[in-house]
Amino acid sequence: MAREGGALAVRVRVAGPTAERPRVDVDVSFGVGLTAVMGPSGAGKTSLLLAIAGLVRPLAGRITLGGSVLFDGSGSWVPPHRRRMALVFQHLALFPHLTAWQNVAYGVPRRSDGRDRAREWLARTRVAHVAERLPSTLSGGEAQRVALARALAAEPGALLLDEPFSSLDGRLRLALGDELKDLVEALQIPAVLVTHHLEDAQRLAARVVELEAGRLRSERPEGA
Amino acid sequence: MSWGPLALSLQVALAATALATALGVVLAGVLARARFPGSDLLDALVTAPLVLPPTVLGYALLQVVGRESVLGRAWESLTGSSLVFSRSAAVLAATVAALPLVVRSARAAMEAVDPALLGAAATLGASPPRVFLTVTLPLSRAGVLAGVTLGFARALGEFGVTLMLAGNIPGLTQTGALAIYDAVQANRDAEALGLAAVMAAVGVAAVYVGTKLGRRRVHGA
């Protein structure tokens, strides 16, 4: 599937409780492949993802994907539905009134292809068998895979993942992490993985950046 | 007992419910999500019919759509007849009475929809109207239906505003509620009792159904 590749460059300041202490104030670039964002609770990891997706409006800065400007503090603003940023929420946010395949078909750019693309992506994420089921009947791992299929079926220019494996344990987390890594490598898009697990971050990501109190603390290369 | 006023009540209430639903769902959607200058004032205006004396509301509407008003004249030049003291006026009165019940119930249900679902829909490429139609509305369906049912019951029972705006003209604007008043005034007790019994039964049934719907959860939610 052809996609215009391109790095995601993010320089943003997001409002916090006080003007002196913004929730996020970073200048960071995410290349093609998986980058992990780590940091303690309240460090601004989720706020950073929401700002990139366009669900929170930064106070200032600039966000670009490949050649296109998504946000510029001087006035340019692309609304979330035109950003092609797929966001996998921590609690997945699957539509409870739609079946698994309808969830995945929701974001398929050509709606007439929705059903076919949904089946393909459910197969690629190994949950083809749950296509007709409602999210409330899925196990944690199945729901996780459906959410990933839904995000990727939208043919995003970048993938944002907010602690996608937080509700899964041990082996399943490892397996899903590896599958995610393979998919992102095949698609050649930037993917930002917010996680608490240093182990996940180091195993899956080409790069790990750390946020603390809204600011970039350090960067370490893989395996450091 | 003549069934005319009851049939008219039903006809007026159904038309008013349709109008209040169309307008109320959009208003609820706007009020549930958007904070904008004047949104609290809009909320107060929509809710006011619940608390204002019907005479005050009727008087205000007479000023807005009366024969001397801009809207009243526009209506008259379009339709060739005056809006006040017509069946359309009865529908307008019932619509205004039903609207706050539709809006309040629909809005509460829409506000209960998880914002993450709306964010997910947006990041999947859905424009705000599509998000509203495919996520917000289906997930708040029970609350919207409850409001619509209660609004219907309220429209059916409308009395004061109808009297002020549409009058009490037998065969034209005399609804069941107004016919009961006339029957009592004229000591036609049997007729009053019959009309009252039917209207009470329909009204209680509508409120019962509306309350049931309001409690129901959307499957899977």
Side-chain angles (χ1 to χ4, degrees), chain A residues 53 55 80-82 84-87 89 92-98 103 105-108 111 134 136 150-151 154, chain B residues 114-128 130-136 138-139 218-221:
Chain A
L55 297 176
H81 64 281
R82 300 218 184 88
R84 302 177 58 242
M85 290 282 173
L87 174 57
F89 286 76
L92 306 183
L94 291 173
F95 304 125
H97 58 304
L98 302 180
N103 263 279
Y106 192 89
V108 172
R111 276 192 227 166
L134 287 173
S136 56
R150 181 176 73 170
Chain B
D114 181 357
L117 296 175
L118 310 179
T123 58
L124 290 167
S127 61
R130 184 175 172 223
V131 175
F132 183 71
L133 289 175
T134 59
V135 180
T136 308
L139 290 177
V218 173
H219 62 119

